[in-house]
Amino acid sequence: MTADIRATTRPGRSAPPARESGPPRRPRRGRFGAHIFLSAVSLAFLAPLLLAVYASLRPYEETAQHGYFSFPKKLSFDYYREAYTESGMGKYFMNTLIIAVPAVIITLFLAAFVAFAVARINVRGSLALLMFFTAGNLLPPQVLVTPLYVLFLKIDLPWWMSDSMTLYDSYWAVILVNIGFQVGFCVFVLSNFMRTLPKEILEAAIVDGAGVWTQFWRITLPLCRPAIAALATLEFTWIYNDFLWALIFISNPDKLPITSSLNNLRGQFFTDYNLLAAGSVLVALPTILVFLLLQRHFIAGLTLGSSKG
């Protein structure tokens, strides 16, 4: 018996872990119910898109006779080709990219500067500055339509920036308005995220002689990549789907964004809703593609701060 005790307590050998007593753990029933609920909610959100895709593949005569929820007799992509050619969608896609891409880049660039100053630099009145940027999102856009319209008519631009020689009826008008309305939200999100970054990282950089620009560009900004990716996805979706500002500040039909091309698919006396559904799916494809490309960063940005340690 003494030998057995010595064998179990010999140096370098640990005793086997004790088995936990009690019944084996069973999967939680609530988790199964949560999966069912989340699946139902996801299906409810995807239902309009799936219905639009389904309708765009069927002839209008078939759906008019049997309804949209009937089994198809013929499926084809003819409506997509017709929607793309009849609406001039390629030109409107380029107009939208000319507006959305610079607006998103400039918005995130300016918001990152302000958020770094508010969250990381001891600037006097930083809280008031953050409240000022956030309060701008509380103003309804309709209140500023008339003042901005009059202002843009009085601002002159050179011929190579605007065909109308003014800020009105130019891409710059829509870009500036989108930047002004979106930068406050981005400042609020980025400043809150930068506050969660460890202070020891910047303190070590300061000890090594890093200046303010190095602290921002080479240390803080790379750490904010998930938040910036999430904001880029949201901002591109919002600006891409915008219709109000372009309709007010652009009078030339050739400069209108992609959301206005769907109006070209509506007839004066008759509207083929299956053709309109195909055009809507084509319009939604870029935003879906951007989300799929940035999905990993977008989800990481949404879950930031959900746990510590």
Side-chain angles (χ1 to χ4, degrees), residues 26 57 74 144 147:
R26 297 180 179 179
L57 298 174
K74 178 184 177 182
L144 300 177

Side-chain angles (χ1 to χ4, degrees), residues 14-213:
S14 58
R19 296 182 179 179
E20 296 181 358
S21 59
R25 294 183 178 180
R26 297 180 179 179
R28 298 179 181 178
R29 297 180 179 179
R31 184 176 301 177
F32 180 72
H35 283 294
I36 294 179
F37 174 75
L38 293 176
S39 300
V41 172
S42 302
L43 183 61
F45 275 93
L46 288 175
L49 179 61
L50 297 177
L51 182 60
V53 174
Y54 181 56
S56 64
L57 298 174
R58 302 179 63 187
Y60 179 79
E61 294 79 9
E62 182 178 323
T63 55
Q65 182 179 0
H66 302 286
Y68 285 95
F69 295 98
S70 59
F71 288 99
K73 296 181 180 179
K74 178 184 177 182
L75 296 176
S76 66
F77 292 94
D78 296 339
Y79 273 137
Y80 287 95
R81 182 175 62 254
E82 185 178 351
Y84 187 84
T85 55
E86 286 192 5
S87 64
M89 202 166 287
K91 174 182 63 178
Y92 294 109
F93 267 128
M94 291 303 301
N95 294 341
T96 303
L97 292 179
I98 292 174
I99 294 172
V101 174
V104 172
I105 294 175
I106 296 174
T107 298
L108 294 178
F109 190 69
L110 295 178
F113 269 117
V114 179
F116 180 77
V118 171
R120 286 303 189 180
I121 301 178
N122 295 325
V123 179
R124 182 177 299 179
S126 59
L127 181 59
L129 182 63
L130 179 61
M131 293 177 61
F132 173 77
F133 275 93
T134 307
N137 291 342
L138 302 179
L139 291 174
Q142 293 79 6
V143 176
L144 300 177
V145 167
T146 302
L148 289 176
Y149 178 82
V150 176
L151 179 64
F152 290 170
L153 284 173
K154 296 181 178 180
I155 297 178
D156 297 329
L157 291 179
W159 61 268
W160 53 271
M161 294 184 65
S162 175
D163 297 336
S164 62
M165 304 294 289
T166 60
L167 190 57
Y168 176 76
D169 195 20
S170 67
Y171 298 121
W172 297 102
V174 185
I175 291 173
L176 290 177
V177 170
N178 281 307
I179 291 173
F181 271 90
Q182 301 299 332
V183 72
F185 172 75
C186 295
V187 168
F188 177 76
V189 174
L190 287 177
S191 62
N192 288 333
F193 173 73
M194 289 181 183
R195 288 193 177 95
T196 63
L197 299 177
K199 296 182 179 179
E200 292 78 8
I201 298 178
L202 286 184
E203 292 176 355
I206 294 174
V207 172
D208 292 339
V212 176
W213 176 254

Side-chain angles (χ1 to χ4, degrees), residues 234-248:
L234 293 174
E235 293 297 327
F236 180 81
T237 303
W238 292 339
I239 297 175
Y240 179 90
N241 292 325
D242 176 68
F243 180 69
L244 174 65
W245 297 123
L247 186 64
I248 295 173

